[in-house]
Amino acid sequence: MPNVAVLTNDLQYEFTYKITTDAQELERKLKQFNVFLDGIRKAGQLVIHLQLIHDPNDPAVQRRYQNRAAGIPAIAGTPGNQLIDIIHHPSDLVVVKSRDSGFFETELDNTLQRLGVKTVVVTGLQTHVCVQTTAADAFFRGYNVWVPDDCVFSPTTEDTDRALEWLAGYCATVAPSTEILSLLNRSDDLPERGTGSRA
């Protein structure tokens, strides 16, 4: 049974512009991200993709996007709503969410508890929105929270830097993905925040 689960947020085709609008840079970043996910799988740990799906009849969703010219994003069954192929492996799990946090009215907590997961590594889009809220909600529920600073994305570096600073100061251990993989290659879990056992 895994001790660690990597949670990806909103890595769906219609949101790739929030990573970058440059096609070559996008390919490079997704390949780098997938190296991390492959390392997690090889270490015997779990990958869970949090897939955002909006209900267009939800009043909260309607209010949020009422002035958006392109309409409501992340509608079920649309091609853009699909998870990006390169980062999705058959062994991965998918949990559907309808809000920014992956824990809000979803099966995520029950799934993690059932599998015995104690540590979550929160990744994906956007650092200052879904990553930040999912990490905080994980912390509130007693999980050990890590965030790889090179596997989170926002349209601006300022948004990412501000969110990472908040996360590191409040609820998560922020570290490079290579450090996380190195630790997992020596142990079946990641150290708790502030234990001083990182290397």
Side-chain angles (χ1 to χ4, degrees):
M1 299 288 279
N3 288 316
V4 176
V6 171
L7 309 177
T8 77
N9 279 277
D10 305 354
L11 291 181
Q12 297 155 230
Y13 285 104
E14 66 184 302
F15 299 131
T16 57
Y17 73 93
K18 295 181 180 180
I19 301 174
T20 177
T21 55
D22 181 282
Q24 289 184 330
E25 184 182 12
L26 177 64
E27 183 179 8
R28 178 182 61 78
K29 287 187 173 185
L30 290 176
K31 281 184 177 179
Q32 177 186 346
F33 188 88
N34 211 34
V35 167
F36 176 62
L37 294 186
D38 282 342
I40 291 294
R41 297 178 188 113
K42 287 175 185 175
Q45 307 299 337
L46 181 64
V47 175
I48 300 178
H49 302 290
L50 302 175
Q51 183 181 19
L52 180 64
I53 295 182
H54 284 137
D55 177 357
N57 298 314
D58 183 338
V61 171
Q62 292 174 348
R63 285 194 301 272
R64 183 172 183 177
Y65 295 102
Q66 63 183 343
N67 296 321
R68 187 174 185 265
I72 298 172
I75 301 296
T78 58
N81 186 248
Q82 301 306 305
L83 293 168
I84 299 168
D85 286 341
I86 191 175
I87 59 98
H88 184 251
H89 187 273
S91 66
D92 300 344
L93 300 181
V94 177
V95 171
V96 171
K97 63 174 186 171
S98 62
R99 295 289 191 273
D100 297 330
S101 171
F103 286 94
F104 182 80
E105 296 183 355
T106 72
E107 289 300 309
L108 180 58
D109 193 32
N110 288 337
T111 299
L112 295 172
Q113 294 288 333
R114 176 172 51 82
L115 294 172
V117 170
K118 300 173 181 63
T119 298
V120 295
V121 181
V122 188
T123 69
L125 287 163
Q126 302 183 74
T127 320
H128 61 303
V129 185
C130 297
V131 170
Q132 191 167 335
T133 56
T134 299
D137 273 356
F139 175 71
F140 299 152
R141 287 165 173 79
Y143 293 97
N144 178 27
V145 182
W146 283 64
V147 176
D149 55 14
D150 53 342
C151 292
V152 291
F153 312 102
S154 295
T156 70
T157 55
E158 291 81 8
D159 285 337
T160 290
D161 291 345
R162 186 176 66 251
L164 290 175
E165 181 179 2
W166 184 88
L167 287 161
Y170 179 60
C171 65
T173 302
V174 176
S177 60
T178 52
E179 179 181 336
I180 293 172
L181 291 177
S182 177
L183 287 166
L184 283 175
N185 284 333
R186 301 200 304 267
S187 172
D188 270 347
D189 206 342
L190 295 170
E192 294 279 345
R193 182 169 175 263
T195 60
S197 55
R198 289 171 58 185

